[in-house]
Amino acid sequence: MNEMVSLFSINRLGSEPVPPDLLALLQNADELRRRTGITFSSALGWSPWLDTSYLSDAERRNPDIMASVRAIQEVCGLVAFVAELEDSEYLGYWRGPTRRPVASSPLVILDNEGQFRLCAGSCFAEALLERMYDEERFGVLKAWLQSLGISIPQNSIDDFVYQICQDDPNALCSELFERYQNKPAVAEQGR
């Protein structure tokens, strides 16, 4: 387990320490997957969110689509992704352009439509709970998280508070998209 945690720290968090709640969940990854469908990877180079193999040749020639892809990929470079959710969505720490430390980074989800959404809560476990859409599932998952020693102050889904973030990932993605529209990628500029 120590080797996996060390690799996770190096490959997912830029060698920063694994936050305590995430550490408890890594140590119980099989049970977390059974309960929520969430999986972790400590593999070097794990980045399925960057896969564009689904694009057709015609889509690859469309400057708007490629500007969007380029903007999404650049914003993804500012996220320390740590987990894959069901439906090909990814959860990570939004480090932003200032590369803030993981411990003080808000959590963000990249959905399967290429949109970024900041999560409520102040840690990974709270971001998971915030995704529960009914109180019964919330209560069951909260009880399990607490059994792992993770403190959860919220008593209901309605108790979650979103962190204020001056550098919203969706706003940055939109700004980059505008910048990259009709502007060829660096690799293409030399042609």
Side-chain angles (χ1 to χ4, degrees):
M1 177 54 76
N2 287 340
E3 182 179 340
M4 192 276 289
V5 170
S6 178
L7 285 173
F8 194 88
S9 169
I10 293 166
N11 295 335
R12 300 276 63 81
L13 304 175
S15 297
E16 290 188 38
V18 177
D21 66 315
L22 183 56
L23 179 59
L25 292 168
L26 283 171
Q27 293 168 338
N28 293 277
D30 290 338
E31 182 65 15
L32 178 66
R33 182 177 42 250
R34 187 186 70 70
R35 289 174 177 269
T36 65
I38 293 171
T39 59
F40 298 114
S41 175
S42 60
L44 180 64
W46 177 71
S47 56
W49 52 89
L50 298 178
D51 178 26
T52 59
S53 63
Y54 61 89
L55 293 173
S56 69
D57 289 340
E59 289 169 322
R60 289 179 188 282
R61 288 189 298 272
N62 182 316
D64 287 342
I65 290 174
M66 294 315 295
S68 178
V69 166
R70 188 174 172 198
I72 291 167
Q73 289 179 342
E74 190 165 329
V75 173
C76 284
L78 304 175
V79 178
F81 285 108
V82 295
E84 182 172 2
L85 311 176
E86 296 177 323
D87 301 326
S88 299
E89 296 184 330
Y90 301 93
L91 181 61
Y93 294 91
W94 171 236
R95 301 187 69 190
T98 62
R99 300 281 186 184
R100 75 183 129 252
V102 167
S104 59
S105 294
L107 279 293
V108 65
I109 289 176
L110 172 63
D111 70 22
N112 53 24
E113 299 292 323
Q115 299 292 307
F116 297 90
R117 183 178 65 80
L118 289 171
C119 300
S122 62
C123 66
F124 188 89
E126 290 178 15
L128 294 182
L129 274 174
E130 180 253 342
R131 293 184 50 78
M132 298 296 104
Y133 300 112
D134 70 58
E135 292 296 333
E136 183 178 339
R137 288 185 68 203
F138 173 90
V140 170
L141 186 57
K142 178 182 175 178
W144 180 68
L145 292 169
Q146 289 177 316
S147 78
L148 300 178
I150 300 171
S151 175
I152 305 293
Q154 296 84 357
N155 292 315
S156 124
I157 297 168
D158 297 330
D159 291 343
F160 284 96
V161 175
Y162 286 87
Q163 294 183 6
I164 303 294
C165 188
Q166 300 299 323
D167 56 355
D168 181 84
N170 256 343
L172 177 59
C173 196
S174 294
E175 176 186 316
L176 291 170
F177 172 72
E178 294 292 326
R179 184 183 313 161
Y180 297 147
Q181 277 186 310
N182 301 316
K183 181 179 176 184
V186 173
E188 297 171 349
Q189 289 177 350
R191 290 184 187 173

